[in-house]
Amino acid sequence: MAGIGPALLNSLDIGLLLFIIAVGLNIVFGVLNIINFAHGALYMLGAYLAFTLINLAGMPFWVALLLAPLGVAIIAVVLDRVLLRFIYSRDVADSLLLTFAILLIINESVRMIWGSGIHVVQPPDLLAGSVELLGSPVSTYSLFVIVVGLLMLAGLWYLFNRTRIGRTMRAAALDRDMAEALCINTRLVVTGVFAFGAWLAAIGGVVAAPMRALDPGMGDKIIIESFIVVVIGGLGSFPGALIGALILGFIHGFGGRYLPEVNLLLPFLGMALVLLFKPNGLMGKGAHA
Amino acid sequence: MKKAKIKNLLLSTAAAITLGAANTSYAEELIKIGGIYILSGSASTYGEFAQRGINLAVEEINASGGILGRQVEMLYEDSQGKASVAIQAARKLVYSEEVDALVGLDSSGVAQGMVPTMPELQKPLIITHAATPDVTGDLCNPFTYRISVNVAQNMKAAAMVAAETDATHWTTIGPDYAFGHQSWEYFGNYLKELKPDAQLMSETNFPRFGAEDFTPFIDRVMNSGAEGVLISVWGGDLVNFVRQAQNRGFFDKDMELMFTVGAATEVLTALGDQMPEGVHLSTRYWYDAYDNEVNTRFVKAYMDAYGSAPSYNAEGAYAAIYAYKKAMEAARSADGPAVAKALSGMSLDAPNGKVTFREEDHQAMVSPNWGISGPMHPEHGIRTLTNLRIFDGEKVARSVEETGCKL
């Protein structure tokens, strides 16, 4: 079992990337009560914007990591003000329908702007190649992904537990009317939270770009994975997103190595098992949705 | 309110009927061909590249007077990579758009589902990409043709290449559906015939199509002790696979690596010099392999229009339109059954040489290309293929008895 070390690191790298993406989905649901189908499309936009900034505008990766998510957040503000604000007070099903439409529009726009070909982004020189760790070569970039994931985790925990903005968001999630009565500008909070969720998705996209090929279907793939994460972890739960993402990361990282015959089945098996015993997910609250 | 609705309905019905009638008279002047490709999602590159090939053919044909004096018009539908969607699309194209013929299909799964419905539609279909042997085998029918290389042909060529190497222990990594599994199955059977001491390892690797992270499978292959690996991962997955394998030192291991669709130009373009040198790459058509007039014209037109080397998928689609031109002219009509009949046994000059649709199973006798990845092409920005081998299409095809096709 010499392969356990690499398998562990690989699982963490898949899991923490999924966490960055899925946690945005969860925050948006938790505060706005919207299941954002277009979350994967925003992830894709992050990756394509990074590709444009790096390969076409010649910017360094680090600048793209800063700018591309901001760009996506701005797009999210527009989406929120133009489309989503009409459905916040309506049934969850309406948000599914609308965000699905947004997903289709973004997918088609990406195809029109960047074509349907495959694009790649090179990792920055600093992160190219591999290092020796636990007796086998580990790509430097996947260590970087793990570090980014852990930083995001710490940052988000701090935001929600230690800052005023985080508390405001939580207040708006718990009781919007009461928050309003306390002079919290909930309209601003709503827009801010949606943009923040999109920003997280785009961070995931930029971080994924140097290790995963860009194509117009990449958003669809990641949204399925993200939904599996939130089903396992519990919709709307912050620790749930972490636990769900790590479990799915381990399913991929170990399943592919040790149970390759059933690797197609494993994520769904994991999901089914969780649903069987904890229908709201491992960290899900009762009849929240 | 209600009256207005009924009036609207009547008006729009009337308009539809008039338009429909206008359409029919218009249709008599046009040859309509329906194309069914993957036009959305991650594999949509393939649909787009097929469209490029078709557009070139249609432009050329229309500029030189069309088919039977009629201009050609293309109508496209998205298969979304699903058989049920493709069947609906075919019915729509045939019954409401009244196309005369069909081209298309990118996925083996889609082809297996759609081909059995062709006799019902009574229109010919030329498959330009999907490679499952079944559609010109067990599932063959009088209306279905394939102009591109199938898995059986390519794997016979692959086995011939593999048998010449020193590797005896072979494993595979391929997508977990018909294409990956059939590639391994045919490769294994042919290799056993050619080199009886070859060992097919029971440890195989079939990651999910679109898996994104192939690292677990890459590690498994590296630790398996395999001396040769058949890699049938394709498209964006192949780009991911190669980059992740590069990171793990996969290419530094002493293994014979055979990429069954590795020389697809879209993949080579995306990878650039990240595609390692010295591995076996195959494609159904290599743009640089054929020195004939049709190929020279096709490659030049493609480069002028799109600025890159044409992919096999564009070539197959391009040739298919010309096949219809020739068949319709031979049949002196665009009538479905007549054109289908004219295609049988017909030969045409395609970019990849003389292509013949075998009468017995309607599979084109086309040649798989295998080569070894060489230095970067100075202008095209992709790896060159050295030691290029063009296998005789006739010799690598299954015998008619083997195909199981009864026409």
Side-chain angles (χ1 to χ4, degrees), chain A residues 245-265:
Chain A
L246 288 179
I247 290 178
L248 192 55
F250 278 81
I251 286 177
H252 286 313
F254 280 87
R257 282 178 181 79
Y258 299 108
L259 292 165
E261 294 81 11
V262 288
N263 72 86
L264 264 183
L265 209 68

Side-chain angles (χ1 to χ4, degrees), chain A residues 6 10 14 111 116-118 120-122 129-130 139 209-213 215-217 221 225 252-253 256-257 260 263-264, chain B residues 39 41-42 44-45 48 176 206-208 210 212-213 215-217 219-220 235-237 239-240 243-244 247-248 270 274:
Chain A
N10 187 214
I14 302 175
R111 251 168 58 76
S116 62
I118 309 158
V120 297
V121 171
Q122 297 304 338
S130 55
S139 102
M211 57 179 188
R212 295 183 179 181
D215 64 44
K221 289 179 205 154
E225 299 273 294
H252 286 313
R257 282 178 181 79
N263 72 86
L264 264 183
Chain B
L39 300 173
S42 61
S44 56
T45 311
E48 189 178 310
D176 198 354
F206 293 105
R208 177 171 57 88
E212 305 233 294
D213 196 312
T215 314
F217 297 93
D219 285 355
R220 239 173 82 87
D237 280 11
V239 174
N240 281 332
R243 301 179 83 205
Q244 291 160 13
N247 261 333
R248 309 296 275 194
Q274 281 190 303

